[in-house]
Amino acid sequence: MSQDSTTVPETSRKLSGRRRREIVAVLLFSGGPIFESSIPLSVFGIDRQDAGVPRYRLLVCAGEDVPLRTTGGLELTAPYGLEALSRAGTVVVPAWRSITQPPPAAALDALRRAHEEGARIVGLCTGAFVLAAAGLLDGRPATTHWMYAPTLAKRYPSVHVDPRELFVDDGDVLTSAGTAAGIDLCLHIVRTDHGADAAGALARRLVVPPRRSGGQERYLDRSLPEEIGADPLAEVVAWALEHLHEQFDVEALAARAYMSRRTFDRRFRSLTGSAPLQWLITQRVLQAQRLLETSDYSVDEVAGRCGFRSPVALRGHFRRQLGSSPAAYRAAYRARRPQGGPAERTDRPDRLERLERADRPDRAEVIEPRSGDHSLPLRRQGAPGGPTGHSGHPPHHHHAPHPDPGKPESDAYAPRLPEQAVGRAPGRPSLPGQRERPVG
């Protein structure tokens, strides 16, 4: 599900100077894909007042002094330059031509100035790289196309990259995943500005759903080998997913595969890119997420239904992977659920802090698994030497050598296997280079 950040400021930022909230500037660069570039032009640049859609005023701006050639060799002429950004209440960067190239310095300066003057800054797909290069995503949640999310997280370690979401709204800075997710975010902006009726009317004109459910996780698994469906391990993985409510460890999975633990680890890693222990823990946490979102089970009951021996074990793994306690995640998820219109934010930081204090063990406590609970190794929460990522930052997805079998590994994606291999909906993987932060 597309999410709104739980740390967004409650107060609306005041626009300065000549900026007007109804003016949307779209910043184009040469080499950008034409599909993403056309999305904000279609949403904000066409007068649909006859359909009940309030009108925006669109300014199409060139981000550099070169011919604007799109994919396919088309050449565009933008009627405005960077100076027009000074009039916009919203600035959209629909795409950037290459995740390996730095954006023009003049464009980055214009974006920083727009943000300082209260403008809402939006990055669609690879446009997030432009926002990150300008420093506008530092310390913030963000998303981009799942294929580029690891690069964004590694290159800008202070950005909290969440590859699961279709879009992330952090108040005055918003980002979306690839291609069609740009439409989702633009509709969200209309919904935020003018309500659900206006967004629904626009969606009908565009012949798209007014609000899509789910996230990018359904697409992520396609990057894994297709042939895994015929591998003998697929049956073992399917069994594990069907029995997450039971307490079993990797040794049990290896035995079901008629392999030694060492051989099983090697085969599993070669097929999925993830260690089996980390994969198993991740799947249990994902199942806990689903139950917290869709049921009224208590945290203790959720822990039992996901194969955790105790709610303390669930809290430890949940916080390590998602940066939030189960209770705080559930409260924030329910607070941001749509109620037929622009929802009032109740998922405020002070409220989350109270929830987390009530739902977490003493931070001085070393959380250890009970005897025989091989699937629940935990680290001390908040202690030095906790999960660290690239360049000493604290992501939970750091590439590391083969771990001690008794500790969870944080090495790369920890995704489910392809849908055809397990016969279930894909889970939500994690990526290298992400910082731990509250997502709910």
Side-chain angles (χ1 to χ4, degrees):
M1 173 180 175
S2 304
Q3 78 172 38
D4 301 340
S5 168
T6 62
T7 58
V8 60
E10 289 292 317
T11 57
S12 177
R13 300 180 66 205
K14 182 178 180 180
L15 287 175
S16 62
R18 297 181 297 160
R19 298 186 183 277
R20 298 292 180 267
R21 296 200 177 277
E22 69 275 10
I23 297 180
V24 177
V26 177
L27 191 58
L28 300 181
F29 298 96
S30 184
I34 194 169
F35 186 92
E36 284 84 348
S37 300
S38 69
I39 289 172
L41 306 183
S42 298
V43 171
F44 302 112
I46 299 177
D47 185 354
R48 296 187 176 93
Q49 295 181 87
D50 60 327
V53 181
R55 185 177 183 179
Y56 290 88
R57 183 179 175 190
L58 181 71
L59 304 178
V60 182
C61 306
E64 52 193 338
D65 295 327
V66 296
L68 301 181
R69 293 188 176 90
T70 71
T71 50
L74 297 178
E75 187 168 317
L76 304 178
T77 300
Y80 300 96
L82 290 173
E83 69 283 351
L85 267 60
S86 64
R87 300 157 57 189
T90 298
V91 179
V92 182
V93 183
W96 173 237
R97 58 174 166 264
S98 173
I99 62 173
T100 63
Q101 295 183 18
L108 298 182
D109 288 341
L111 286 171
R112 294 188 195 102
R113 187 161 51 251
H115 182 256
E116 290 169 359
E117 294 177 357
R120 175 172 54 188
I121 311 297
V122 181
L124 309 182
C125 193
T126 53
F129 283 81
V130 180
L131 273 58
L136 301 182
L137 297 181
D138 290 351
R140 290 177 176 266
T143 193
T144 188
H145 193 292
W146 61 264
M147 190 166 60
Y148 306 128
T151 303
L152 182 65
K154 183 176 182 180
R155 185 169 301 162
Y156 303 100
S158 61
V159 180
H160 308 310
V161 181
D162 189 344
R164 302 171 305 166
E165 302 297 345
L166 291 175
F167 64 83
V168 172
D169 179 348
D170 197 40
D172 54 348
V173 177
L174 303 88
T175 51
S176 81
T179 344
I183 301 177
D184 295 307
L185 179 50
C186 289
L187 286 173
H188 170 75
I189 291 172
V190 175
R191 185 182 303 111
T192 301
D193 291 348
H194 302 292
D197 289 344
L202 177 56
R204 287 191 294 273
R205 289 293 291 267
L206 297 175
V207 197
V208 296
R211 188 192 293 266
R212 285 195 295 166
S213 60
Q216 291 193 84
E217 67 273 11
R218 74 187 87 171
Y219 309 110
L220 274 155
D221 287 340
R222 296 181 184 179
S223 64
L224 297 176
E226 294 286 343
E227 61 271 15
I228 196 172
D231 192 276
L233 286 186
E235 182 179 349
V236 176
V237 171
W239 181 89
L241 294 173
E242 292 294 335
H243 294 79
L244 287 175
H245 59 284
E246 300 178 11
Q247 292 170 13
F248 59 87
D249 57 14
V250 178
E251 295 286 353
L253 296 181
R256 293 189 67 86
Y258 301 100
M259 297 179 185
S260 68
R261 169 65 185 270
R262 186 171 182 176
T263 301
F264 182 79
D265 283 1
R266 185 175 64 253
R267 288 281 298 134
F268 196 98
R269 186 189 295 270
S270 67
L271 286 170
T272 69
S274 173
L277 179 59
Q278 183 58 50
W279 177 87
L280 180 58
I281 293 172
T282 297
Q283 297 310 312
R284 285 177 166 159
V285 171
L286 292 172
Q287 179 67 4
Q289 273 187 277
R290 294 197 265 299
L291 291 179
L292 291 168
E293 293 172 359
T294 61
S295 77
D296 292 321
Y297 293 131
S298 68
V299 173
D300 289 28
E301 290 173 316
V302 169
R305 289 173 179 271
C306 298
F308 293 107
R309 188 173 293 276
S310 71
V312 172
L314 167 62
R315 291 186 182 101
H317 284 298
F318 202 94
R319 187 182 299 278
R320 184 179 65 82
Q321 293 203 18
L322 298 176
S324 173
S325 70
Y329 177 87
R330 169 179 273 170
Y333 177 85
R334 291 183 174 179
R336 68 175 180 257
R337 293 286 290 175
Q339 300 295 330
E344 178 182 356
R345 288 190 180 277
T346 57
D347 49 338
R348 301 173 61 162
D350 57 343
R351 182 169 179 264
L352 287 179
E353 181 64 26
R354 291 196 302 272
L355 283 167
E356 294 201 16
R357 282 200 302 268
D359 192 50
R360 65 190 176 198
D362 186 350
R363 293 179 67 85
E365 177 185 357
V366 177
I367 306 172
E368 297 289 349
R370 295 187 182 181
S371 175
D373 188 7
H374 304 291
S375 65
L376 303 174
L378 294 173
R379 297 180 181 178
R380 184 196 301 259
Q381 294 298 313
T388 57
H390 301 280
S391 305
H393 297 285
H396 58 275
H397 315 287
H398 178 61
H399 284 273
H402 193 71
D404 183 297
K407 292 183 179 180
E409 183 180 68
S410 305
D411 70 340
Y413 286 91
R416 287 189 179 181
L417 295 179
E419 195 170 349
Q420 65 268 29
V422 299
R424 292 182 50 156
R428 293 177 176 172
S430 52
L431 288 177
Q434 280 185 255
R435 284 177 173 272
E436 291 187 343
R437 66 172 297 278
V439 297

